[in-house]
Amino acid sequence: MIVILFGPPGVGKGTQAQKLKDDKNLCHLSTGDMLRAAVAAGTELGKQAKSLMDAGDLVPDELVISIIKERIIEPDCAGGFILDGFPRTVAQAEGLDKMLKAVDKQLDFVFALEVDEEEIIDRRAGRMVGAKSGRVYHAVHNPPKVAGKCDETGEDLIQRDDDKAEVMRHRLKVYQEQTAPVAAWYEARGKLTRVDGMGSVEEVYGRLSAAMTN
Ligand code: AP5
């Protein structure tokens, strides 16, 4: 199974991807997590990505296309994968189309999560993440079992630098200008399913699960 989770920053893509991964035993491919890991490791890719990410801009298409292309042929992705945060431009969607054709695979679902802008602001304001695990929590709506610690690794949870209000405003603008057209691209190909992302994490996951079985 190959699933794309699509939507604006803070809509809940990473949260739902975690549930889908655990439930369906799929590989979770988050370009944001991969880029943050590259920044933390100080690789060449990380050096190129850091200033763009800090500013809330997109990393060049060819860089993210190549990391996904290398990743989807790894053995742990053989049973299927979830793309979270990719594709984010029409050029990336076209790149994905080509790479899937090359390995004779096709997309099963493209889910566009939709929530009100005010809800996005609330979700983002309370977000805490495990830097190593990539696990996402919310102080109120999706708290860890032990306050401030990741359930999976026990590491201290942190706030992401790009969750600062000013950067977040820019990320939403970048989303409208460069990423929103990707939904129309999939819609024109009959691939897009819009999913109401309001409500609890479990309620949203229930809608995603139902859409997969319909
Ligand atoms: P990335 O890490 O992909 O960020 P994003 O897509 O902007 O999305 P977020 O991670 O901010 O939000 P999310 O939708 O996953 O929400 P979450 O589940 O965390 O990208 C970061 C940067 O990397 C980009 O700006 C860019 O520079 C670069 N990049 C990445 N991919 C790229 C690409 N393909 N091309 C070019 N550049 C790229 O949820 C948010 C909060 O809400 C959490 O606290 C969560 O606990 C809470 N929450 C979730 N669901 C619910 C619910 N139902 N009810 C209440 N709270 C909820």
Side-chain angles (χ1 to χ4, degrees):
M1 187 188 284
I2 302 177
V3 181
I4 291 178
L5 289 179
F6 182 83
V11 75
K13 301 181 295 293
T15 302
Q16 295 300 324
Q18 277 170 203
K19 293 193 73 66
L20 201 51
K21 171 194 168 190
D22 296 342
D23 192 20
K24 308 270 184 213
N25 204 19
L26 298 171
C27 189
H28 174 195
L29 303 181
S30 155
T31 39
D33 286 350
M34 291 175 194
L35 290 167
R36 279 185 287 277
V39 170
T43 65
E44 198 46 50
L45 168 67
K47 284 177 196 154
Q48 290 183 56
K50 188 176 184 322
S51 57
L52 293 164
M53 293 175 77
D54 285 349
D57 285 315
L58 296 185
V59 170
D61 289 333
E62 57 275 18
L63 291 182
V64 277
I65 289 173
S66 76
I67 48 178
I68 289 293
K69 198 170 175 181
E70 284 167 22
R71 193 62 188 84
I72 62 170
I73 53 169
E74 295 280 324
D76 63 329
C77 289
F81 50 88
I82 308 152
L83 292 165
D84 159 12
F86 179 91
R88 238 178 168 97
T89 62
V90 169
Q92 291 179 22
E94 289 168 347
L96 176 65
D97 208 38
K98 274 194 207 136
M99 69 178 96
L100 290 179
K101 278 192 182 127
V103 292
D104 203 20
K105 289 191 172 170
Q106 52 183 9
L107 275 174
D108 294 280
F109 302 104
V110 182
F111 292 124
L113 292 172
E114 299 182 324
V115 310
D116 299 347
E117 205 169 313
E118 277 187 14
E119 174 72 11
I120 288 196
I121 292 167
D122 173 57
R123 288 185 185 182
R124 175 194 49 80
R127 172 160 58 187
M128 301 175 296
V129 297
K132 286 191 198 124
S133 66
R135 289 256 159 190
V136 186
Y137 303 87
H138 187 280
V140 178
H141 307 303
N142 188 19
K145 289 181 186 128
V146 177
K149 302 278 179 196
C150 178
D151 293 349
E152 190 177 296
T153 58
E155 68 191 297
D156 286 340
L157 297 176
I158 55 162
Q159 275 212 307
R160 273 171 44 179
D161 285 344
D162 61 355
D163 271 346
K164 286 177 194 140
E166 204 180 292
V167 180
M168 190 64 190
R169 263 197 299 279
H170 184 65
R171 285 169 66 202
L172 287 167
K173 184 167 170 273
V174 168
Y175 173 81
Q176 288 306 336
E177 290 172 0
Q178 299 183 52
T179 305
V182 175
W185 195 87
Y186 281 115
E187 199 151 42
R189 285 157 183 77
K191 289 274 186 197
L192 192 81
T193 305
R194 295 181 189 276
V195 176
D196 179 4
M198 296 295 286
S200 70
V201 171
E202 295 302 331
E203 284 167 338
V204 178
Y205 189 65
R207 288 182 207 123
L208 281 178
S209 301
M212 280 188 271
T213 48
N214 284 340

